[in-house]
Amino acid sequence: MAGRRRRVPAGRSGRRRRVPATGRSGRRVRWGRLIAVVVACVLVAGAALGYWVYDQAVNGVRTSDALGDKGARSTGGSQNILLMGLDSRKDLNGNPLPKKILEQLHAGASSEVGGYNTNTLILLHIPGDGSRATGLSVPRDDLVDVPGFGKQKIKEAYGLAKAREEDRLAAQGVKDHAELESKGREAGRRTEIETVRTFLGVPIDHFAEVNLAGFYDLAGALDGVDVCLKHPTKDKNSGADFPAGRQTLDARQSLAFVRQRMNLPKGDLDRTRRQQAFLLSAVHKLESSGTLDKIGRAYSLLDAAKRDIVIDKGWPLLDAADQMKKLAGGNVSFQTLKIKGFGTYRQQSVNLVDPPAVRRQVQELLRPAPSPRPSSPQGGRPKPAAPSPRPDSGDATSLGGDGVPCVD
């Protein structure tokens, strides 16, 4: 990195102060896990509405130029959508969330906790041929190259770039809080997008970002989410206390479910799978239970979600809504990208990764399904194509036969 990076308190730039690592069983609150749920809810809701009502509902959704014109785009009608969840206790204007909301979230009583880490990064690949979609979760602690900052955890790209841009503007005499926040966030989005695009080696066609309040605004509308646990589990830090088997989680239990990482076999990686399971179950319920048959309920979901979502300017929401609605039937699976192991870097716990190996895994997972073989010269029927092999990551998450995903 050029120059010495200044340590800016979280209250000034929103960046989390660096503290010694507490290990995989540490007690620091980790958030920002529900970006995909929020985006899926708003898009599925949109697909349930007529064009005029939907157009009115999404009027005011914030858009961003951060994607820009850089980089290649997907071909053949496919789309790669980057979903980013911020670990922030602040709204889209950089103002602290109300204390009562923080207390109900059990996410810490201070708005300074969390900073602007992207604790959720999911690349959602939607094939142009209508075949099954794939969601790739990028572990937040992967140690990668961040443009302009050298080796960093991938989740920190957003906050580091945001803080640097705010420092640059402040040095030029900019004092307006709204301008600093807006331009700082745009710089953060650009850097995070470029980091993910380079690390995974794929185009990014669209993106969506949501902050912590997004779950609070939508949890009440879900009226319970069905999940399945392979084993009973407890964790006093998150409040998790669940038996084994299928169960319906209310909003409070849902928070504990997606927060828990202690007493899980793979810790933080298993918590990523819970996020995936919650997404699948929540969107499946929205589509199958008739929740969205009522225009008022769908409109309320959109109205709530648009307070917390930022999307790129070129995204045709009506098309995206139709695609997401199709995914609600279970036509999507999730994978967590592999890591080599765990290590320590600058006194922090990190995931060690092999970028070329990660890119190979991504290419395998996103490889198009094979076309049917041509007819034989004897005029017989074409032989069915062999199933396209996929790398065995051991971390796939999908709906079960009863529409409920089962995880640790």
Side-chain angles (χ1 to χ4, degrees):
M1 178 182 70
R4 180 174 175 269
R5 177 157 47 86
R6 201 178 81 188
R7 304 292 185 187
V8 183
R12 161 68 177 83
S13 69
R15 180 177 18 167
R16 185 198 302 268
R17 292 185 179 90
R18 293 187 181 273
V19 297
T22 58
R24 294 263 182 272
S25 61
R27 295 172 179 264
R28 285 177 292 174
V29 178
R30 307 286 192 173
W31 265 94
R33 292 285 175 181
L34 295 166
I35 167 65
V37 175
V38 176
V39 173
C41 286
V42 69
L43 295 181
V44 174
L49 300 175
Y51 177 83
W52 184 86
V53 176
Y54 179 68
D55 183 64
Q56 296 301 309
V58 300
N59 184 34
V61 172
R62 298 204 184 191
T63 58
S64 165
D65 287 318
L67 193 60
D69 298 324
K70 295 181 180 179
R73 292 290 191 266
S74 298
T75 59
S78 297
Q79 287 192 346
N80 290 332
I81 302 168
L82 179 62
L83 309 177
M84 302 189 296
L86 286 184
D87 185 18
S88 175
R89 277 69 165 170
K90 297 183 179 181
D91 62 20
L92 294 180
N93 298 313
N95 299 316
L97 297 176
K99 185 177 180 180
K100 66 177 182 179
I101 293 181
L102 293 174
E103 289 173 347
Q104 292 184 56
L105 288 168
H106 301 284
S110 172
S111 64
E112 304 305 332
V113 178
Y116 284 89
N117 288 337
T118 52
N119 271 4
T120 292
L121 289 168
I122 296 177
L123 184 77
L124 181 62
H125 175 73
I126 303 178
D129 61 4
S131 59
R132 197 177 207 194
T134 302
L136 304 180
S137 290
V138 184
R140 62 182 184 167
D141 289 337
D142 285 3
L143 185 65
V144 303
D145 290 316
V146 175
F149 296 94
K151 292 286 186 183
Q152 304 287 346
K153 293 182 181 182
I154 196 166
K155 69 179 182 181
E156 295 179 335
Y158 190 116
L160 290 170
K162 177 181 184 295
R164 184 174 66 180
E165 179 67 6
E166 288 181 350
D167 288 345
R168 187 186 70 82
L169 293 172
Q172 295 178 353
V174 177
K175 298 180 179 180
D176 181 69
H177 169 77
E179 182 177 356
L180 289 170
E181 183 72 14
S182 175
K183 292 183 177 179
R185 286 198 177 203
E186 282 290 87
R189 292 168 190 138
R190 285 193 297 270
T191 299
E192 191 70 61
I193 291 169
E194 183 58 29
T195 300
V196 174
R197 179 161 42 202
T198 301
F199 179 49
L200 301 188
V202 296
I204 295 178
D205 304 291
H206 300 293
F207 82 91
E209 168 199 314
V210 71
N211 64 9
L212 180 60
F215 179 73
Y216 177 83
D217 285 338
L218 290 176
L222 298 179
D223 194 26
V225 174
D226 296 325
V227 299
C228 171
L229 288 175
K230 298 177 182 177
H231 312 284
T233 183
K234 287 187 178 181
D235 170 29
K236 65 180 181 180
N237 294 313
S238 65
D241 186 359
F242 304 119
R246 177 172 175 165
Q247 52 209 286
T248 300
L249 308 181
D250 60 22
R252 181 189 62 80
Q253 293 171 322
S254 297
L255 286 166
F257 178 78
V258 298
R259 285 187 59 200
Q260 183 184 4
R261 65 189 175 100
M262 296 184 67
N263 302 325
L264 297 178
K266 296 183 180 179
D268 209 39
L269 298 179
D270 276 338
R271 189 165 66 167
T272 297
R273 291 197 64 196
R274 287 188 170 202
Q275 168 203 348
Q276 298 166 352
F278 192 89
L279 163 63
L280 285 168
S281 186
V283 178
H284 177 73
K285 180 173 183 179
L286 282 169
E287 171 61 13
S288 63
S289 66
T291 299
L292 296 177
D293 289 341
K294 298 180 180 179
I295 295 298
R297 176 63 62 87
Y299 191 96
S300 296
L301 281 167
L302 284 165
D303 192 49
K306 70 182 182 180
R307 293 195 296 269
D308 308 302
I309 288 179
V310 178
I311 60 174
D312 68 273
K313 281 189 175 177
W315 197 359
L317 282 179
L318 285 172
D319 291 345
D322 183 62
Q323 292 171 332
M324 195 65 72
K325 186 177 181 181
K326 294 176 183 177
L327 301 185
N331 194 29
V332 59
S333 64
F334 285 90
Q335 295 272 353
T336 301
L337 296 178
K338 290 181 178 180
I339 64 172
K340 289 188 349 182
F342 304 113
T344 302
Y345 184 76
R346 295 179 181 173
Q347 296 184 307
Q348 295 191 68
S349 297
V350 298
N351 297 331
L352 303 177
V353 296
D354 179 354
V358 169
R359 287 190 279 273
R360 287 194 297 271
Q361 183 190 10
V362 169
Q363 291 301 318
E364 286 291 304
L365 289 168
L366 304 189
R367 186 171 57 193
S371 302
R373 294 177 182 175
S375 301
S376 64
Q378 289 77 20
R381 293 183 179 180
K383 296 180 180 180
S388 180
R390 293 289 185 261
D392 180 15
S393 71
D395 286 321
T397 307
S398 58
L399 288 175
D402 58 355
V404 178
C406 202
V407 295
D408 286 313

